[in-house]
Structure formats: structure tokens, C-alpha cells
């Protein structure tokens, strides 16, 4: 169990997750450019594997806080960086599952 937790919260695994994330959102950008936003949402952004990737990244960040003892006062900048990403992930999850999308047409020289 100790070996698994040391791998899950290692810099190598964090880097691997970030590279996978960067490649997937870059690929989604190309899909969106060629086939449209709906296709990119179906294939990448709303897929289960992408949600699991974000969840594993969030768990990795929280685990890194405790593994690297970032709660100590002299390491607060690193702690704040990690926790800010966790808060961003939580906000993204809330938007994904609670929010809704709509369109609003605003004609020129009008306000809505």
C-alpha cells in the first residue's frame, strides 16, 4: 500500500497526468476546429475517461499536499497553489453537473 501511495503522489505520476491532460485538451481543440463544439464535447469533454482523469488529478493534488507536508507555514505558497487547483476542479465539477447551457441572441445596439 505504501508503494502504491508513493507512486500516486509522485512527481512522475503528476507529470504524466499533466501531459495526458494537455494532449487531450489539445486534441479536443483540433476536433472542435474541424468538426464543431458539439463533437468535441461528446468525444472529449463529456466523456467518462476525461472526468476520471480530472478526478485522479484532483486526488493527486490533495495527496501531494500531505505527502510533501505543504501545510507547514514555510510551505504555504505551494499549499495555496495545490488547493487553488482543487477549488478550480470543484468549480468545474459543479458547473458540469449543476449548470445548464443556453443561448442568448443580442442584436446590435440592444441590451438584454
Amino acid at each position: 500500500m505504501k508503494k502504491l501511495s508513493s507512486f500516486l503522489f509522485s512527481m512522475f505520476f503528476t507529470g504524466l497526468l499533466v501531459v495526458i491532460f494537455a494532449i487531450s485538451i489539445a486534441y479536443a481543440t483540433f476536433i472542435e476546429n474541424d468538426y464543431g463544439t458539439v463533437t468535441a464535447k461528446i468525444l472529449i469533454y463529456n466523456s467518462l475517461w476525461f472526468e476520471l482523469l480530472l478526478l485522479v488529478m484532483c486526488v493527486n493534488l490533495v495527496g501531494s499536499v500531505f505527502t510533501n507536508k505543504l501545510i507547514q507555514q514555510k510551505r504555504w505558497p505551494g499549499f495555496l497553489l495545490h488547493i487553488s487547483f482543487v477549488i478550480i476542479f470543484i468549480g468545474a465539477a459543479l458547473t458540469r453537473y449543476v449548470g445548464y447551457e443556453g443561448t442568448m441572441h443580442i442584436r446590435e445596439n440592444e441590451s438584454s
Side-chain angles (χ1 to χ4, degrees):
M1 186 70 174
K2 176 121 169 103
K3 191 170 186 168
L4 178 64
S5 66
S6 65
F7 173 72
L8 286 177
F9 308 130
S10 68
M11 287 298 289
F12 172 75
F13 188 61
T14 303
L16 184 67
L17 289 173
V18 170
V19 167
I20 293 170
F21 180 72
I23 290 170
S24 62
I25 62 173
Y27 186 59
T29 301
F30 289 116
I31 291 173
E32 186 173 359
N33 185 40
D34 294 339
Y35 301 105
T37 305
V38 175
T39 306
K41 285 180 74 171
I42 290 170
L43 293 177
I44 307 291
Y45 297 122
N46 290 347
S47 63
L48 180 63
W49 68 267
F50 192 74
E51 292 174 3
L52 290 175
L53 175 66
L54 292 176
L55 179 67
V56 170
M57 287 178 73
C58 192
V59 169
N60 180 275
L61 284 169
V62 172
S64 294
V65 165
F66 293 108
T67 302
N68 297 321
K69 299 180 177 101
L70 297 179
I71 299 176
Q72 298 173 358
Q73 187 173 5
K74 64 181 179 178
R75 295 182 149 205
W76 277 359
F79 172 75
L80 290 175
L81 179 74
H82 284 73
I83 294 304
S84 65
F85 278 111
V86 170
I87 291 170
I88 290 169
F89 284 140
I90 291 169
L94 283 173
T95 302
R96 165 82 168 87
Y97 292 111
V98 178
Y100 61 92
E101 290 190 34
T103 57
M104 181 176 197
H105 298 285
I106 301 175
R107 298 202 184 271
E108 195 171 329
N109 297 327
E110 290 185 11
S111 62
S112 294

